Amino acid sequence: MPSSLDAYLTSALEGAASGRPIADAIRHLCTAAVKVRNTIIEGGTSGDLGGQRGETNSDGDIQKELDVLADKAFLKAAKDSGFAFFGSEEQEGPVRLSEDGDLAIAIDPLDGSSNISTNVSIGTIFSILPVSAEQKANPDTVFRQKGANQLAAGFFTYGPQLHLVLTVGDGTHVFLFSPKFGGFVEQTASVSIEPRAKEFSANMSNYRHWDTHIRNYIDDLLAGAEGPREREFGMRYVGSLVADAYRILTRGGVFLYPGDERKGYQKGRLRLMYEANPVAMLVEQAGGAASDGTRRILDIEPESLHERVPFVFGSKREVERIARYIADSD
Ligand code: AHG
Ligand code: MN
Ligand code: MN
Ligand code: MN
């Protein structure tokens, strides 16, 4: 019988500051994730979960049925967890939930919305942050904390399997939702990212918009054994961050979503607070690296809940090499 998530939470968080509230929060998040997963499997209420709702969120994304349904499910989980604030891709700004809590959650309720109607893996990404007394008095500062402050981070993937990939600061762990074993059970005790990447992951249709140093880096990968890298590289790109991140955690590789020349894409597509920060913590805890090309993601001081950041993560040596390509070109 594999060990349960409950047993892990008790052992990992016992005695830790905010340990119990974080453990309780993760249990509530799991309840919401199972609800979302069941809705996906059963085809939801309106039939087409990928259907557009006519509104856009504050980041300019068109909201899909499942975006809004997931946002509601995780807002309830955050309330049940006693969080002080909820910061979501699908909400304009911080939502104050309680005066007492001293934790906040930044969340991407449904990641990979463009894949909802194609039956490709999608997910939910979350970041749990401390909230000081001063921040409670000034809610906008709650989601202007750098990623190094995170107390826990994780994502759920709704794919052939429902996984929870989680860190509370003691390594990265994978849990599988298995009704046979009564819930989430440990699948991988401590993920370790392969330091030598054999694959890269990028939306190559944006190639012509990237800066020359990124194009040079990609060109050298594509040149394979005849090029300066003297070996072949594969390419995988799902278009759901959670799916690309889970693959890299399990078999190495490097992901790039660079900024580019297009209006609105100078800082790329991905959001710092509820996509890059949580994935960066998970990747670093698994021995990998995560940057904006040159700066460590977890050191970046955010200015707003929805700000975007160019995002590079995965096998440590590859992330460091990309920084050298950028430095060499300056
Ligand atoms: P979301 O569905 O939460 O808005 O996130 C989508 C993100 C991320 O999942 C993925 O890595 C990226 O968008 C894909 O962007 P492109 O479609 O531009 O490649
Ligand atoms: Mn979106
Ligand atoms: Mn997303
Ligand atoms: Mn989303």
Side-chain angles (χ1 to χ4, degrees), residues 13-307:
L13 291 169
E14 203 165 273
S18 302
R20 182 175 296 282
I22 291 174
D24 287 348
I26 290 164
R27 292 186 183 99
H28 286 301
L29 293 171
C30 288
T31 304
V34 172
K35 189 165 179 285
V36 170
R37 170 248 194 193
N38 292 343
T39 302
I40 293 168
I41 291 173
E42 291 146 11
T45 48
S46 65
D48 177 9
L49 292 166
Q52 298 185 358
R53 291 174 54 91
E55 296 102 43
T56 55
N57 65 22
S58 44
D59 193 46
D61 281 7
I62 292 172
Q63 287 187 318
K64 307 275 176 72
E65 283 295 334
L66 195 57
D67 280 323
V68 175
L69 187 148
D71 190 51
K72 287 195 178 94
F74 284 99
L75 176 58
K76 179 181 179 315
K79 276 187 191 148
D80 295 346
S81 305
F83 279 107
F85 291 95
F86 179 79
S88 164
E89 179 196 348
E90 306 309 332
Q91 301 276 347
E92 182 70 34
V95 176
R96 187 192 288 273
L97 298 179
S98 102
E99 296 297 330
D100 316 325
D102 55 12
L103 295 174
I105 184 167
I107 190 163
D108 178 358
L110 204 286
D111 173 68
S113 306
S114 65
N115 284 325
I116 294 171
S117 311
T118 60
N119 198 25
V120 166
S121 292
I122 51 182
T124 299
I125 312 172
F126 63 89
S127 164
I128 296 177
L129 292 158
V131 179
S132 66
E134 301 76 33
Q135 286 165 337
K136 277 189 199 174
N138 186 350
D140 280 343
T141 62
V142 172
F143 296 108
R144 290 211 299 258
Q145 302 186 52
K146 60 186 183 182
N149 288 7
Q150 292 175 103
L151 299 170
F155 61 77
F156 295 96
T157 59
Y158 312 112
Q161 295 180 313
L162 167 52
H163 277 133
L164 165 61
V165 183
L166 174 70
T167 182
V168 296
D170 72 335
T172 292
H173 306 258
V174 179
F175 297 91
L176 170 68
F177 177 68
S178 171
K180 182 171 79 170
F181 290 121
F184 283 89
V185 293
E186 191 163 68
Q187 176 176 293
T188 310
S190 190
V191 177
S192 175
I193 295 186
E194 169 64 43
R196 192 168 179 269
K198 299 182 186 70
E199 289 174 333
F200 72 97
S201 186
N203 181 339
M204 288 298 285
S205 70
N206 298 328
Y207 176 89
R208 69 188 187 284
H209 302 304
W210 294 335
D211 289 350
T212 46
H213 52 262
I214 296 289
R215 287 206 302 267
N216 291 343
Y217 170 73
I218 295 290
D219 292 346
D220 288 351
L221 296 181
L222 294 174
E226 297 84 65
R229 301 298 301 271
E230 297 177 332
R231 65 187 174 98
E232 298 299 303
F233 285 84
M235 193 207 126
R236 290 285 184 279
Y237 188 73
V238 178
S240 297
L241 178 59
V242 291
D244 287 315
Y246 185 71
R247 184 193 59 254
I248 287 170
L249 284 164
T250 48
R251 68 181 194 216
V254 66
F255 176 98
L256 305 91
Y257 207 113
D260 70 46
E261 63 191 12
R262 288 172 295 169
K263 188 173 171 325
Y265 277 81
Q266 283 88 344
K267 288 193 157 185
R269 163 88 194 260
L270 298 170
R271 283 59 57 109
L272 177 59
M273 292 308 293
Y274 43 80
E275 289 174 315
N277 272 341
V279 170
M281 183 177 181
L282 290 162
V283 164
E284 284 200 1
Q285 287 286 323
S291 78
D292 67 352
T294 48
R295 293 179 300 168
R296 180 182 179 236
I297 288 286
L298 297 182
D299 289 338
I300 295 175
E301 291 288 352
E303 280 153 29
S304 72
L305 171 59
H306 298 294
E307 82 176 63

